[in-house]
Amino acid sequence: MAKAGPSSDEETLRVQTPAESRLMLTALWDGGSFTQFIERGKVAVLGRGSQADVVIEHPSISRRHVTLSLGTELRVSELGSSNGTKVRGRRLEPNEQVVVGWGEPFEVGHAVVIVRTPSASGGDLRNDEQSQTSIASVERLLKLVAPTHISVLLLGETGVGKGFYARRIHDLSNRSGGPWLHLNCAALSEQLLEGELFGYEKGAFTGAHQSKIGLLESASGGTVFLDEVGDLPPSIQAKLLLALERREVIRIGSLKPRGFDVRFISATNRWEAGTVSESFRSDLYYRLAGMPISIPPLRQRRGEIAGLTTALLLEAAERLGRSVPQLGPEVVSKLESSEWTGNVRELGSVLERALLFAGQELTADHLELARGPVVRPSVPPRALGTADSAPASVPPPSAFPSPPSSPSAAPPPSKKTLAEDVGEVERRRILEALDQCAGNQVRAAELLGVSRRTLINRMIAYAIPRPRKG
């Protein structure tokens, strides 16, 4: 039997690969967390007393609080506890039994318990996803997990906002005053990633003219966000696992270990289908996935589109130095009916482009223009997404929306031409992509949907320095 104290933040997760017959139970409460494996096919009592099979020493939990029937499905039975058990917000009657989904949170006293079904490939993420279909449940889990030290794995399609929620966990945690390190694992080569993570000593390899502190050391006391963690090379996985277990790193070219204290948050869009890549170590997965949280795609969150539209337009207007337009009556319904395969990222891009066309009011026509071919300047540089040899062109005046008919309603004229505005947005998009990909031009080009040669031509045209190799 394993125990967790009410003030303990330590993860007690054992990292050996579990058999198919084992389940993973995680409990979260204000300022603490607890994780252990339990046997499938058994009936386990969860409580605070020594007679319980799963012991969590939290004052809100009774000595014999609930019974967990761990068969083909999870059945939770309330044993007449003092503080009760809640499933989907409803308090159970004494001796009442209900079926709870794998990965679905339920309340035991003032703690939240989640039972998951790990598999040889790393976890039954499909069940987790089905139980977390609303952002409300995601927000609830974020607020519960943020004050603890447990590692979090964010799952979801590209553009759903995994980076936003990772930063939210950091801001809500007791490490919010410490460093925040966002590391894109897909943007760095294996050699560069190892040097960046663990650091190196002077003379460790050619070009190491001076010692360099690793990112894990420099982020001590804060949070490390491993974006696209599924792309970690196997050799880095082994070294990261060792660092996680010992909470210390050995710089390249050194024999002396150096301690660090960071909280890990990871994210990937590769495992949403329900299986972890065979090339990813299962023992590292269990270390990083102390609490996996699936972020639903925007098409499953249509009720949030109106609020997101307002927030994204405000941000875009501030970046472009424009006033926020009024939304036409049909705009929100049109946005809510779209599929948004690129999720929140695509929505933000469309609204930003639509803002370039809009006057005092943003209409459905502006959205159509924003989702159509990108407006190109009449003079070089050519716009992203065109062939290298394609000439630049400007659509005829009839392609642009007419200005407001009322002189009093017209916004003050911009001092920049439309071509200058579009070029400014394009340059910023290139800089953001390069920053997100740590200067890797191949990946930045893929992120922007253009060829590497097109990206290089645009960087030259906009006087953007090319990152140096090595």
Side-chain angles (χ1 to χ4, degrees), residues 218-257:
S218 65
S220 197
T223 303
V224 172
F225 175 41
L226 299 175
D227 202 2
E228 300 301 340
V229 69
D231 291 321
L232 276 176
S235 62
I236 302 299
Q237 293 179 35
K239 294 179 180 180
L240 181 59
L241 174 63
L242 188 63
L244 279 167
E245 290 177 340
R246 298 181 178 178
R247 292 289 163 170
E248 60 185 24
V249 296
I250 299 179
R251 295 181 184 177
I252 300 174
S254 174
L255 299 176
K256 177 183 177 182

Side-chain angles (χ1 to χ4, degrees), residues 1-19:
M1 292 183 292
K3 298 183 180 181
S7 61
S8 172
D9 279 337
E10 272 190 23
E11 296 176 54
T12 58
L13 175 62
R14 294 171 295 198
V15 299
Q16 63 265 33
T17 304

Side-chain angles (χ1 to χ4, degrees), residues 242-321:
L242 188 63
L244 279 167
E245 290 177 340
R246 298 181 178 178
R247 292 289 163 170
E248 60 185 24
V249 296
I250 299 179
R251 295 181 184 177
I252 300 174
S254 174
L255 299 176
K256 177 183 177 182
R258 300 171 184 271
F260 69 91
D261 171 30
V262 301
R263 197 258 186 91
F264 284 93
I265 302 175
S266 307
T268 182
N269 60 13
R270 291 178 174 267
W271 302 337
E272 194 65 18
T275 57
V276 177
S277 169
E278 293 181 358
S279 63
F280 200 88
R281 297 179 62 110
S282 58
D283 44 6
L284 177 58
Y285 165 80
Y286 290 117
R287 274 293 186 184
L288 296 176
M291 173 55 62
I293 300 177
S294 291
I295 312 297
L298 190 56
R299 59 185 173 274
Q300 295 179 13
R301 300 152 48 189
R302 298 187 189 276
E304 298 178 47
I305 289 179
L308 282 171
T309 298
T310 301
L312 291 170
L313 272 177
L314 180 61
E315 292 178 3
E318 290 179 354
R319 286 195 299 268
L320 298 176

Side-chain angles (χ1 to χ4, degrees), residues 139-161:
E139 287 282 349
R140 183 164 172 268
L141 283 174
L142 290 181
K143 291 178 181 177
L144 284 167
V145 79
T148 73
H149 290 326
I150 195 170
S151 56
V152 179
L153 174 63
L154 299 174
L155 301 159
E157 298 176 4
T158 298
V160 294

Side-chain angles (χ1 to χ4, degrees), residues 200-205 207-213 251:
Y200 52 82
E201 296 293 348
K202 180 179 179 180
F205 50 84
H209 301 301
Q210 60 183 11
S211 298
K212 183 182 188 309
I213 185 173
R251 295 181 184 177

Side-chain angles (χ1 to χ4, degrees), residues 6-47:
S7 61
S8 172
D9 279 337
E10 272 190 23
E11 296 176 54
T12 58
L13 175 62
R14 294 171 295 198
V15 299
Q16 63 265 33
T17 304
E20 287 293 333
S21 62
R22 304 178 79 186
L23 302 165
M24 187 184 294
L25 181 147
T26 299
L28 302 167
W29 58 90
D30 186 17
S33 62
F34 168 66
T35 301
Q36 76 169 74
F37 289 118
I38 52 179
E39 297 296 324
R40 187 196 285 270
K42 300 290 184 67
V43 176
V45 175
L46 187 153

